[in-house]
């Protein structure tokens, strides 16, 4: 059974192997993305309860919902610490007669569908697989394997931001409410959506605005607003329950913060007035700037840094945007660029794997 530990090695091996043969062709790249994402989806959805720290809790809640009527879901949400939208989805699933593992296959498919929607709709064909690998390296072990509510909410949240950038306000707001119903971390994007909607483009994408927001966030970090917000009675119980625990102390300015601040300043520097930039460029800039500001405002509050990680999901747009700015448009240049990124993120994948966030892989049918 210990040999199953190599299952985790399959994730970077499959993606990078396919990337080597597909990075210069959009059609082959897309096909390889579908193959690798399907295989990894099966790996994720087949995991046993002992693989991560949250699965047993999710199974307990799923099974206990059979005894909870619909009109008591809101009350049960406050007691159990899970959002009403997720509980409603679980309730519908167990009413249909499926078991927990079948439900997880379904929910993981929803997460994968949201991710593929972003990759196919907003990222150029030849960069889709490397973007997927960045997601797998940076987020998959923490979200898809463990924090499944947060996984889905983050993906819906970034689609909401993208829709607002496209001017599809109703779709954006609807998706925002869906995301919040699955994880309250998504509340943070209400500020981002408001800024995009109300602020003029020439001001939003300016160095003056970026530096002003970073400076203001630095000042706010001294006041520690998070400690005050978590004491308010109207705040979601999923946040206030951490008051007085170790989850509201510690360091939050790490490598993600450095990437965020550097990338946001680079992108705004190259944003020329009057020049049309695509949605991906704008999205990467806004999410990196938001990630920077959230890191500063919620400094020392790790439980709220999930909001920063939500925004940092936009980093999956990094290869296509940075290639457009700095690289010569040649097949060889693109190939070297993507393989170089892949090498870096192989190391990042194993760094996250060694953190202990997940345990030895065992399929649920072998437990």
């Amino acid at each position: 059974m210990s040999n199953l530990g190599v299952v985790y090695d399959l994730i970077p091996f499959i993606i990078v192997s396919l990337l080597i043969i597909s990075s210069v062709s959009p059609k082959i790249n897309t096909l390889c993305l579908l193959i690798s994402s399907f295989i990894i989806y099966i790996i994720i959805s087949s995991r046993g309860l002992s693989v991560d720290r949250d699965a047993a809790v999710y199974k307990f809640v799923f099974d206990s919902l059979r005894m909870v009527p619909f009109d008591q879901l809101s009350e049960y949400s406050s007691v159990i610490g899970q959002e009403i939208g997720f509980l409603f989805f679980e309730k519908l699933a167990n009413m249909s007669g499926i078991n927990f593992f079948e439900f997880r296959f379904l929910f993981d498919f929803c997460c994968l569908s949201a991710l593929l929607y972003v990759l196919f709709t907003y990222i150029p064909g030849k960069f889709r697989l490397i973007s997927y690998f960045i997601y797998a390296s940076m987020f998959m072990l923490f979200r898809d394997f463990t924090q499944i509510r947060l996984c889905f909410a983050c993906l819906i949240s970034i689609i909401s931001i993208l829709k607002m950038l496209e001017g599809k306000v109703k779709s954006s707001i609807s998706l925002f409410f869906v995301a919040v119903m699955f994880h309250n971390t998504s509340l943070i994007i209400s500020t981002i959506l408001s800024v995009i909607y109300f602020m003029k483009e020439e001001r939003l994408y300016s160095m003056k605005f970026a530096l002003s927001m970073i400076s203001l966030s630095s000042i706010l970090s001294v006041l520690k607003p998070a400690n005050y917000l978590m004491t308010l009675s109207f705040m979601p119980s999923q946040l206030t329950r951490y008051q007085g625990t170790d989850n509201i102390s510690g360091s939050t300015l790490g490598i993600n913060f450095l990437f965020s601040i550097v990338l946001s300043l680079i992108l705004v520097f190259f944003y020329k007035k009057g020049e049309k930039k695509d949605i991906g460029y704008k999205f990467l800039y806004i999410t990196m700037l938001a990630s920077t500001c959230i890191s500063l405002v919620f400094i020392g509050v790790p439980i709220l840094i999930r909001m920063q990680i939500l925004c940092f999901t936009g980093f999956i747009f990094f290869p296509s945007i940075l290639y457009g700015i700095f690289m010569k448009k040649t097949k060889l240049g693109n190939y070297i660029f993507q393989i170089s990124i892949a090498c870096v993120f192989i190391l990042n994948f194993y760094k996250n794997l060694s953190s202990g966030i997940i345990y030895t892989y065992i399929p649920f049918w072998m437990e």
Side-chain angles (χ1 to χ4, degrees), residues 46-96:
S46 299
R47 69 193 184 277
L49 296 179
S50 61
V51 170
D52 68 274
R53 61 191 180 187
D54 291 344
V57 175
Y58 279 118
K59 186 177 186 304
F60 169 78
V61 173
F62 181 87
D63 292 339
S64 65
L65 276 172
R66 298 183 189 278
M67 307 301 295
V68 180
F70 274 106
D71 60 359
Q72 293 182 20
L73 282 181
S74 179
E75 180 182 350
Y76 190 66
S77 172
S78 298
V79 173
I80 205 68
Q82 294 185 9
E83 287 76 8
I84 186 68
F86 182 73
L87 293 182
F88 184 80
F89 191 46
E90 283 188 301
K91 181 66 176 177
L92 290 177
N94 65 32
M95 283 181 65
S96 70

Side-chain angles (χ1 to χ4, degrees), residues 79-347:
V79 173
I80 205 68
Q82 294 185 9
E83 287 76 8
I84 186 68
F86 182 73
L87 293 182
F88 184 80
F89 191 46
E90 283 188 301
K91 181 66 176 177
L92 290 177
N94 65 32
M95 283 181 65
S96 70
I98 65 176
N99 63 36
F100 171 74
F101 297 105
E102 292 168 332
F103 162 76
R104 202 167 58 180
F105 265 93
L106 174 63
F107 191 78
D108 289 343
F109 182 77
C110 292
C111 294
L112 175 61
S113 298
L115 176 58
L116 290 179
Y117 176 81
V118 173
L119 295 174
F120 276 93
T121 307
Y122 300 102
I123 292 180
K126 61 186 177 182
F127 293 103
R128 287 171 184 158
L129 188 56
I130 187 63
S131 293
Y132 177 68
F133 182 49
I134 290 175
Y135 177 87
S137 171
M138 300 191 73
F139 308 112
M140 187 172 285
L141 299 178
F142 294 94
R143 292 185 190 167
D144 301 69
F145 273 94
T146 53
Q147 303 167 352
I148 59 175
R149 290 167 21 248
L150 180 62
C151 175
F152 184 71
C154 285
L155 292 168
I156 297 300
S157 293
I158 66 173
I159 296 174
S160 174
I161 297 171
L162 287 162
K163 293 297 181 185
M164 185 62 77
L165 286 168
E166 291 179 313
K168 299 176 180 178
V169 179
K170 291 182 179 179
S171 296
S172 175
I173 294 174
S174 297
L175 288 166
F176 163 69
F177 283 113
V178 170
V180 171
M181 293 289 280
F182 279 82
H183 206 288
N184 53 55
T185 293
S186 298
L187 285 167
I188 193 64
I189 73 163
S190 61
T191 303
I192 300 171
L193 298 178
S194 299
V195 168
I196 295 171
Y197 182 77
F198 290 108
M199 188 166 288
K200 293 183 178 179
E201 188 169 306
E202 59 268 22
R203 184 180 177 188
L204 177 58
Y205 305 105
S206 68
M207 183 66 75
K208 181 179 179 181
F209 174 76
L211 293 177
S212 297
M213 292 305 300
I214 293 171
S215 300
L216 177 62
S217 299
S218 299
I219 295 170
L220 287 174
S221 68
V222 178
L223 303 176
K224 299 187 182 301
N227 290 340
Y228 169 71
L229 289 173
M230 291 176 69
T231 64
L232 299 177
S233 58
F234 59 81
M235 292 295 286
S237 62
Q238 290 86 355
L239 291 179
T240 57
R241 65 194 174 103
Y242 290 107
Q243 183 68 17
T245 71
D246 293 338
N247 291 286
I248 59 169
S249 62
S251 176
T252 54
L253 299 183
I255 190 68
N256 288 358
F257 170 75
L258 295 177
F259 271 120
S260 297
I261 192 169
V262 170
L263 259 180
S264 59
L265 294 178
I266 288 175
L267 291 168
V268 75
F269 178 80
F270 282 96
Y271 195 98
K272 298 176 182 178
K273 290 183 178 179
E275 182 180 348
K276 285 288 184 180
K277 294 292 186 182
D278 62 25
I279 296 297
Y281 191 105
K282 295 176 180 178
F283 175 76
L284 184 60
Y285 160 69
I286 288 171
T287 52
M288 291 303 100
L289 181 60
S291 174
T292 301
C293 294
I294 293 167
S295 295
L296 290 168
V297 172
F298 296 140
I299 186 172
V301 189
I303 194 60
L304 293 182
I305 213 64
R306 290 173 178 174
M307 296 179 177
Q308 184 264 342
I309 297 297
L310 183 157
C311 294
F312 199 73
T313 310
F315 192 77
I316 64 175
F317 282 71
F318 159 77
S320 60
I321 303 303
L322 267 289
Y323 179 81
I325 295 175
F326 294 112
M327 299 296 294
K328 292 182 178 180
K329 310 303 183 291
T330 64
K331 287 187 177 181
L332 179 61
N334 176 41
Y335 188 80
I336 294 173
F337 177 69
Q338 293 201 41
I339 299 303
S340 299
I341 292 175
C343 291
V344 172
F345 281 94
I346 288 173
L347 298 176

